[in-house]
């Protein structure tokens, strides 16, 4: 039990370190997609760890603590991005980051842990799931579709006209 908690924390900590180290550029969609690529690659490569984080966080305090601490750090980083890139106030950025994080958590859980058929139809690979989440984030933040030339596959379902 203790070893699994430690491994879970290590995996999540690596994810946070990799996303925090992404350079901040003027390419908002590129940054959003970059953090989600890292998250989806890390989680899909460690499905047992992901299942522990989702399945045991409610039952075992240690898993809940790992999830809360690392999700909080992820959200703080996203909040900084929102302040800098979207011009949100600190309070707005913080609230938006938490909501976006919860949305992302739900899509990752439904896609990678539960294998929800409706989501799997939209995106099967970690890259496709990352792109779908990124398009939804971009639309929520900037109230417009990301540049279509930045999309490779699954995200195009959300930006195509008519």
């Amino acid at each position: 039990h203790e070893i699994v908690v430690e491994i879970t924390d290590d995996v999540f900590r690596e994810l946070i370190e990799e996303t925090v180290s992404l350079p901040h550029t003027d390419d908002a969609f590129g940054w959003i997609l970059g953090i989600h690529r890292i998250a989806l690659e890390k989680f899909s490569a460690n499905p047992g760890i992901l299942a522990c984080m989702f399945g045991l966080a409610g039952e075992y305090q240690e898993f809940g603590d790992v999830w809360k601490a690392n999700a909080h750090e992820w959200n703080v980083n996203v909040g900084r991005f929102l302040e800098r890139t979207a011009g949100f106030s600190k309070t707005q950025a913080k609230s938006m980051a938490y909501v976006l994080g919860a949305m992302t958590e739900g899509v990752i859980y439904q896609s990678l842990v539960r294998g929800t058929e409706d989501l799997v139809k939209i995106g099967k690979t970690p890259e496709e799931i990352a792109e779908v989440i990124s398009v939804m984030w971009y639309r929520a933040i900037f109230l417009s579709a990301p540049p279509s030339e930045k999309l490779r596959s699954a995200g195009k379902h959300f930006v195509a006209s008519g």
Side-chain angles (χ1 to χ4, degrees):
H1 181 80
E2 292 167 354
I3 292 169
V4 175
V5 169
E6 189 172 326
I7 292 169
T8 301
D9 190 44
D10 288 347
V11 168
F12 216 141
R13 183 104 330 258
E14 288 172 14
L15 184 154
I16 297 298
E17 289 171 5
E18 288 179 44
T19 58
V20 168
S21 70
L22 281 177
H24 296 124
T25 69
D26 291 336
D27 179 9
F29 185 75
W31 187 85
I32 294 168
L33 183 58
I35 65 169
H36 288 102
R37 279 183 179 147
I38 292 168
L40 269 295
E41 287 171 9
K42 187 74 67 181
F43 286 144
S44 67
N46 298 283
I49 296 298
L50 182 62
C52 285
M53 283 194 272
F54 280 113
L56 300 177
E59 296 175 37
Y60 296 95
Q61 179 75 34
E62 301 91 343
F63 288 103
D65 291 346
V66 167
W67 186 265
K68 287 177 190 175
N70 288 292
H72 176 75
E73 192 167 341
W74 167 280
N75 292 332
V76 167
N77 190 39
V78 170
R80 286 187 206 113
F81 163 80
L82 294 171
E83 285 181 70
R84 193 177 49 255
T85 307
F88 289 8
S89 71
K90 189 173 193 91
T91 301
Q92 291 170 327
K94 183 178 176 182
S95 296
M96 184 71 156
Y98 294 147
V99 171
L100 291 170
M103 178 187 79
T104 301
E105 182 180 322
V107 173
I108 290 172
Y109 174 73
Q110 293 293 328
S111 298
L112 297 180
V113 176
R114 293 198 64 196
T116 302
E117 188 175 325
D118 293 333
L119 280 174
V120 173
K121 288 177 186 174
I122 297 169
K124 293 180 183 176
T125 67
E127 174 70 28
E128 290 172 336
I129 298 165
E131 187 171 282
V132 167
I133 293 169
S134 299
V135 168
M136 298 312 295
W137 270 43
Y138 193 92
R139 291 182 75 92
I141 296 165
F142 299 105
L143 303 178
S144 64
S148 60
E149 66 272 6
K150 297 210 177 257
L151 303 176
R152 294 184 185 162
S153 58
K156 291 185 180 190
H157 298 287
F158 296 96
V159 297
S161 59

